[in-house]
Amino acid sequence: MAGELGQQTVELGTVVRQAAEESYLALRDLVEKSRSADTEGEGGQQRSDTEKKIELLKFIDRTRQRMLRLHVLAKWCQQVPLVLYCQQLASTLSSHETCFTQTGDSLFFMHEGLQQARAPIFDVPSAIEVIHTGSYRRVPKCVEEIGTQNTLFQDERKPTLKKLSTLVRAKLLETMVPKEISEVSVTDGIANVQVDGEFKVLLTLGYRGHFSLWRILHMELLIGEKTGPIKLEETRRYVLGDDIERRMAVADNPFTVLYSILHELCISFVMDTVIRQTNVLRQGRWKEAIKSELISDSHTSAGQGGNNAPVQLGQDGELDSSGFRIPGLKVNYWLDERNSGSAESDSSPFIKVEALQDMQIKCQHSSFVLDPLTDKEADLSLDLSCIDVEALIFKAIACNRHTRLLEIQRELKKNIQISRSPTDVVLKQEEVHMNILPKRMDRRDFENCCTNEVLQVRAYGQSYIHLGINIRSGGFLLQSPKNILPPSAILESEEALNKGSITPPEVFVSLKTRSILHLFAATGRFLGLKVYSQYQITLKIPKSILYGSDFMVMGIPWHANAYYLLMQLDNSLMPVFYLLEVHADGEDRSNADATSDAKEAVRFNRIDIGQMQIGLENLSTLRSEVAFGKRPLSEFLLNIPSLQPAIISGGPSKRRKLPEDASSMQPGTTLTYGTILAEGNWCITENIYASVLLQVIKHCLLRIKYAQLTTQMNSLNIPYVEEVGLATPSSNLWLRLPFAPDGSWKHICLRLGKAGSMSWDVRINDLYYSALWKLHGGSTTAEWGSRVRIANTSEMDSHISFDDDGVILTYNSVEVDSIHRLVSELQRLSNARVFACGMRRLVRVKVYEKLGQNQLATKMKLHSAKKCFRDRLSDQMTKTFRIDAVGLMNLWFSYGANAMPIVHFVVEWEAGKVGCTIRVSPDHLWPHTKFLEDFVNCNEVDSLLDCIRLTSGPLLALGGAVRPAKMPAVPAVCSSAQKQNGVLLASGSSSTTVHTNSHDAQTSSTLSAAGRTVPGLVPSSLMPFDVSVVLRGPYWIRIIYRNKFSVDMRCFAGDQVWLQPATPPKGGPSIGGSLPCPQFRPFIMEHVAQGLNTLEPSFLNARHTVPHLNASANTLSASQQVVTTPNPLSGGTPGVVKLTPSVGSPVAPSVSRGGNAMLPSSGIPSGTAGASAHLSSGTNLPVHMKGELNTAFIGLGDDGGYGGGWVPHAALKKVLRSILKYLGVLWLFAQFPDLLKDILGSVLKDNEGALLNLDQEQPALRFFVGGYVFAVSVHRVQLLLQVLNVKRFHHQQQQQQAPQSSTQEELTPSEIHEICDYFSRCVACEPYDASRIASFIMLLTLPIPVIQEFLKLIAWNKSLSQPHGDIGTAQRARAELCLEKHSRSFSGDYTGTSLPSKSNIQHDRANNSVDFTVTFMLDHNLTPHMSSSGGAGWLPYCVSLRLRYTFGDNSHVAYLAMDGSHGGRACWSQHEDWERCKQSVVKAVKAVNGSPATGESGQGRLQMVAEMTQKQLQLSLLHLRDCSLSAGSTRP
């Protein structure tokens, strides 16, 4: 039954159909069930979506399993022949198994019978072997090896194989071998039969035991591809070998059968490989480039498929050759796009590959082609051992390409315009380098171009145009080096050549013309010309001068686009040049352009190169030059002939004829460029064409330059004279300018320069510049004197130079405004010359008598009205002014007394600027130099010097008052000085005392302790934005203080200035002017008297040894030094303070005044401030400086705050410093009303605090906070505060409210005094800051107990700043209450209050809390050494602690934030150390809150917090220093 089931079969289609039907039925049942469930669910329970999805999923899974099985079955059915063959093998093996079973059974029963019939069998052969040889070679080595030996021994093989080889050779001699078999050899009984390129077979005798029949041992095919030979499958090789053996056994000629079968097999494989490779090429890299079709004997199939089964075997292994044909293949290349759709009209070349009647592969080409290597008919064939269809196509294309290029070469050689020498048209068989290919072709397509053979046609010299053929399309490819032709010309010619609309000779004639024009264009671009092609230009060129459509136009950009050069080639390819002059519409040449609207050439002139001569000695040079671009431009731009004279129109010009002998020339032996060009194209190099173009340009540039310059001079009405009568155009023009000095500059010569050069120059012969040239050469006898040097010339004026004859202005090109620029520069030269001569005359520099007599006389006439004034100031000018340097466009001079300049001036006439520019050093003296420049521009040199003489002293005094002053450097005194009751005692001399002002000393010491000064400087109390200076007139200086107060300083002749507050306009001070300055006149008069009383001539001469110095940093001059020098000869004691003048600041022994003479010290810094010495009773001072000021000026009325007064120069710096302090106090006082209104109104109620009255004339104000009235008044340069307790003046109210008075707290007189003292020391101090006033007012709004807490903290801070016996105590770390509000917040966890207040102390009345900041300045002895970069490196290290004090029943202090200087972490460079220090400070603040009440100890809570924080910072510094020392000691 199993066998029957195994034999039953069913169709695969039936199985598929049944599977599909079952799947469909199952799906339909599933749908019907779902519908019925929905219908039933309306009255009963409805199935859920989950159940439906589960059913659907089960159906999908079952269907998927069924389809997978069906798929596997379909795969299995594809192997039915193999299965059938396996079934046959299984059946054969089953029959063999039955036979083996029967044989085994028979042997078993036979064995039983043999046991009975056995008899001893003697081993006679072995015995004979033992007897004869004495040994037995077949004795087994072990029992397991007992058995029969089937192989021959080694010594038996050789004879046996020799006999077998003899038999094989004999058999071969008897058998006929076909001639196609290339090799037959016998080795070791094996015959090697081989056909080259097809197959190789190893045979021997012994087929099925018959030694007369051939047996195949091995069979190998030799045909193959690039990947290797073709290999037969093992099963197919066995079947094929068995079939061949059987056929050879029954055939009369077995080798003929062998060859015919294997040859047909190889041919089939070859054609199959050819078809397959062709299909791969068609679908790959040769897509749309080739097409193929199969060829048979009966018909031509249009199919594109290959023969996939060249040999078919039957079921019994026999070769089935019925209907077997080997098709051929036709491959078309260079497909014509126009005929690609129709096969009948396709004229593209093709290759035919097919097996002929003799079964040989034959390759044929559609047309006759030549082999490029042999120049014979090409032989196309396939290498069967390495079949490569692509190589066959490449060879056919190469032969076809060679044939076509050879035909074009023969045609081009017949054209005389193209071929003049044998090397003009050459067919090159070599690769074309990548550098000559155009940009449109990349490296990937390079192999598709003419890689092996190109046709080279000479363009000029050694430059060729290459013609190749594209192997993909068969189209022509034109290529050239990048510098020969533009890509557009190549593409255009290539397209026309491929379309057949133009012949190759016509193409190359056009390309040769364009290449020469392109060379001219490249040369023109190198020279800076604008190049236009015939497609870009819109000029209307007359047709009569055109030779064809190929021409080039060059625009000359240096000449306003009004001139163009037309270049073209005639029929003999000779260059033809025309110079065109065009006019745009409206004659607007400045905007003319060849590519804009059409313009017409109004004039043209042909330049005949046949008349251009060249010397014989230059001919070899031109031919030997390799590259034109490597030669400098100056070698080519030689003398250029002029344009026709008609270009220049008539005008205010005159001509002067020169002698005829001046223009005579002796020409040498020369040739023309036309002769050289006619010699032949082979010798005309790029350099020759470039030289021709340069010669042409030389005929144009000079006359164009002449025309442009004269046109500009005519437009400016500048008369000029021209020289005529020369063989070449004139190169000199003589000008006259209207502003030229009378009697000078008569000979202004404009020289056009060398021909071909764009440069031109102007020369002026003047003895003034001759004197400068002598000065430049180092002459000590020059008119300028021995101390004057030559000033440097700016880069903008580098084209201006001078020599012994005069000045030269050189220009490199002609611009639209060249003459205007020339006039401007000559005007600058003239102005500089006039000013220099005026300065030299006023400062009494000895002038050479023959130099400029007319100019000096003219200047004297122009200024005759001021002659008396000049004579009077002549001596002063000579002594105070000195010329330092003189140049073409500038002059350097200085101002100072006694040959010590203090101010330096540079007067320069810059290019492109009307008028002069004055620069001053020091640059901070004059806010601007407009008024000084006006004097120079108006040629008022004496007024300029007078202005400088009168204003330099006041400006220097103002600069010294604003900037830090020199501090007396007294190391011996200051190092050991001790402060006792405001007096510094010098060690070693008890009689030497220096009196200081207590307030100024306190300020100075505070700033010094804070590290805000450096040795030798008293810090300026002014901020950079405090003071600004403007000039309202030449002698009118306005000083503006913080945009609120302004003081006018007017300078007059003499030794004093007028100071007065700026009067505001009608709109009030808000729109200009100054706020009122009460008591301004008495204030300055008092300081004038004090300043004059300090001028003691005996002290200046060092007659007294005990000077009295003022340490307020405002009385000592910046040019004086206080030194301690022992003088044993004079009998002085060591440590005597002596005032000595410094270098550059001489001190006059006496002060005198006579007439309008200026004080000797008025022009130097030391003379404006005076010395701070006390005047003795015997001092001899002028009356107007001593008595009159004290009696007449002091006590004058105030004039409403806008009165002024006279201030001598000697006391000006001291007065100005005092005025700036006074203005600062007024500004600070002016901040009070607004701050009181904002702070008192935001914190207190209406009846708790307000502004009582404000008196602007005093000035003074009063305000009350709680039960106290505070009065603020201005006293000289200080703000004073007075506090009044209102309750003490109302005894009755105090008695009526006695029960309540016991609970109220009041400030004690000492506390009130401490408030006033703190106001003077820390609030109203320099530099003035409104935030300190705001913080102080906010402090007064606090409750009395809280104020007392802050007063204890202030007193403790004050005690830290006062030294106690030693200097080390004063240098320890101290703390202070920070009143200034800084914009930078402390840290990210604290951003401060949101109220827009200027106060740094914030009072939160609702929560009974106050936020404040305490700043701790660290002990510099404990801070580690750190390299601080930037401007804050000299400041001390500080730590600011932001705290919140909550007062009331449960008073405590809370930590808010902590910040450090120098980047936020002070001297803690590591973030971890800084965080550790911050945590220790937080713990210290918390520890104070846990301490007992502070009333018993007398210390306030805030004081305890500050002390604990200070100690904790000290400990952190000690720890930081110890860690730094330990880390440093461990370093190697």
Side-chain angles (χ1 to χ4, degrees), residues 482-493:
K482 297 179 181 179
N483 58 346
I484 292 183
L485 285 169
S488 59
I490 294 293
L491 292 176
E492 179 183 352
S493 301

mmCIF file of all heavy atoms in Angstrom, residues 482-493:
data_model
loop_
_atom_site.group_PDB
_atom_site.id
_atom_site.type_symbol
_atom_site.label_atom_id
_atom_site.label_comp_id
_atom_site.label_asym_id
_atom_site.label_seq_id
_atom_site.Cartn_x
_atom_site.Cartn_y
_atom_site.Cartn_z
ATOM 1 N N LYS A 482 43.715 75.793 -21.971
ATOM 2 C CA LYS A 482 42.784 76.782 -21.428
ATOM 3 C C LYS A 482 43.076 78.197 -21.911
ATOM 4 O O LYS A 482 42.182 79.027 -21.985
ATOM 5 C CB LYS A 482 42.830 76.746 -19.905
ATOM 6 C CG LYS A 482 42.388 75.419 -19.320
ATOM 7 C CD LYS A 482 42.473 75.445 -17.808
ATOM 8 C CE LYS A 482 42.055 74.101 -17.223
ATOM 9 N NZ LYS A 482 42.156 74.086 -15.745
ATOM 10 N N ASN A 483 44.325 78.477 -22.226
ATOM 11 C CA ASN A 483 44.687 79.842 -22.593
ATOM 12 C C ASN A 483 44.663 80.085 -24.098
ATOM 13 O O ASN A 483 45.096 81.128 -24.557
ATOM 14 C CB ASN A 483 46.076 80.179 -22.049
ATOM 15 C CG ASN A 483 47.132 79.210 -22.558
ATOM 16 O OD1 ASN A 483 46.804 78.165 -23.098
ATOM 17 N ND2 ASN A 483 48.389 79.553 -22.399
ATOM 18 N N ILE A 484 44.193 79.115 -24.880
ATOM 19 C CA ILE A 484 44.166 79.288 -26.339
ATOM 20 C C ILE A 484 42.803 79.784 -26.790
ATOM 21 O O ILE A 484 42.699 80.780 -27.502
ATOM 22 C CB ILE A 484 44.542 77.973 -27.048
ATOM 23 C CG1 ILE A 484 46.013 77.641 -26.796
ATOM 24 C CG2 ILE A 484 44.276 78.080 -28.538
ATOM 25 C CD1 ILE A 484 46.473 76.407 -27.508
ATOM 26 N N LEU A 485 41.760 79.085 -26.381
ATOM 27 C CA LEU A 485 40.414 79.415 -26.824
ATOM 28 C C LEU A 485 39.474 79.396 -25.627
ATOM 29 O O LEU A 485 39.654 78.599 -24.697
ATOM 30 C CB LEU A 485 39.923 78.414 -27.881
ATOM 31 C CG LEU A 485 40.502 78.559 -29.292
ATOM 32 C CD1 LEU A 485 40.121 77.353 -30.123
ATOM 33 C CD2 LEU A 485 39.999 79.835 -29.957
ATOM 34 N N PRO A 486 38.442 80.198 -25.651
ATOM 35 C CA PRO A 486 37.433 80.122 -24.590
ATOM 36 C C PRO A 486 36.579 78.875 -24.765
ATOM 37 O O PRO A 486 36.400 78.378 -25.887
ATOM 38 C CB PRO A 486 36.629 81.417 -24.782
ATOM 39 C CG PRO A 486 36.822 81.780 -26.215
ATOM 40 C CD PRO A 486 38.192 81.316 -26.579
ATOM 41 N N PRO A 487 36.033 78.332 -23.718
ATOM 42 C CA PRO A 487 35.189 77.120 -23.837
ATOM 43 C C PRO A 487 33.987 77.316 -24.750
ATOM 44 O O PRO A 487 33.548 76.370 -25.405
ATOM 45 C CB PRO A 487 34.778 76.848 -22.387
ATOM 46 C CG PRO A 487 35.816 77.537 -21.546
ATOM 47 C CD PRO A 487 36.236 78.741 -22.320
ATOM 48 N N SER A 488 33.432 78.522 -24.782
ATOM 49 C CA SER A 488 32.257 78.734 -25.619
ATOM 50 C C SER A 488 32.582 78.549 -27.098
ATOM 51 O O SER A 488 31.784 77.978 -27.853
ATOM 52 C CB SER A 488 31.710 80.143 -25.377
ATOM 53 O OG SER A 488 32.698 81.128 -25.680
ATOM 54 N N ALA A 489 33.744 79.008 -27.538
ATOM 55 C CA ALA A 489 34.126 78.823 -28.940
ATOM 56 C C ALA A 489 34.326 77.352 -29.270
ATOM 57 O O ALA A 489 33.955 76.884 -30.356
ATOM 58 C CB ALA A 489 35.402 79.628 -29.236
ATOM 59 N N ILE A 490 34.905 76.607 -28.340
ATOM 60 C CA ILE A 490 35.093 75.170 -28.564
ATOM 61 C C ILE A 490 33.744 74.474 -28.700
ATOM 62 O O ILE A 490 33.521 73.646 -29.605
ATOM 63 C CB ILE A 490 35.924 74.582 -27.417
ATOM 64 C CG1 ILE A 490 37.357 75.138 -27.431
ATOM 65 C CG2 ILE A 490 35.953 73.067 -27.486
ATOM 66 C CD1 ILE A 490 38.173 74.707 -28.605
ATOM 67 N N LEU A 491 32.830 74.770 -27.800
ATOM 68 C CA LEU A 491 31.518 74.119 -27.841
ATOM 69 C C LEU A 491 30.754 74.481 -29.107
ATOM 70 O O LEU A 491 30.105 73.626 -29.730
ATOM 71 C CB LEU A 491 30.714 74.520 -26.598
ATOM 72 C CG LEU A 491 31.218 73.992 -25.261
ATOM 73 C CD1 LEU A 491 30.390 74.561 -24.123
ATOM 74 C CD2 LEU A 491 31.174 72.474 -25.231
ATOM 75 N N GLU A 492 30.814 75.725 -29.491
ATOM 76 C CA GLU A 492 30.097 76.161 -30.697
ATOM 77 C C GLU A 492 30.645 75.465 -31.939
ATOM 78 O O GLU A 492 29.883 74.953 -32.771
ATOM 79 C CB GLU A 492 30.214 77.677 -30.816
ATOM 80 C CG GLU A 492 29.522 78.238 -32.045
ATOM 81 C CD GLU A 492 29.740 79.737 -32.160
ATOM 82 O OE1 GLU A 492 30.294 80.326 -31.202
ATOM 83 O OE2 GLU A 492 29.369 80.312 -33.202
ATOM 84 N N SER A 493 31.948 75.410 -32.095
ATOM 85 C CA SER A 493 32.542 74.762 -33.271
ATOM 86 C C SER A 493 32.311 73.259 -33.242
ATOM 87 O O SER A 493 32.075 72.633 -34.296
ATOM 88 C CB SER A 493 34.042 75.063 -33.321
ATOM 89 O OG SER A 493 34.279 76.454 -33.385
#
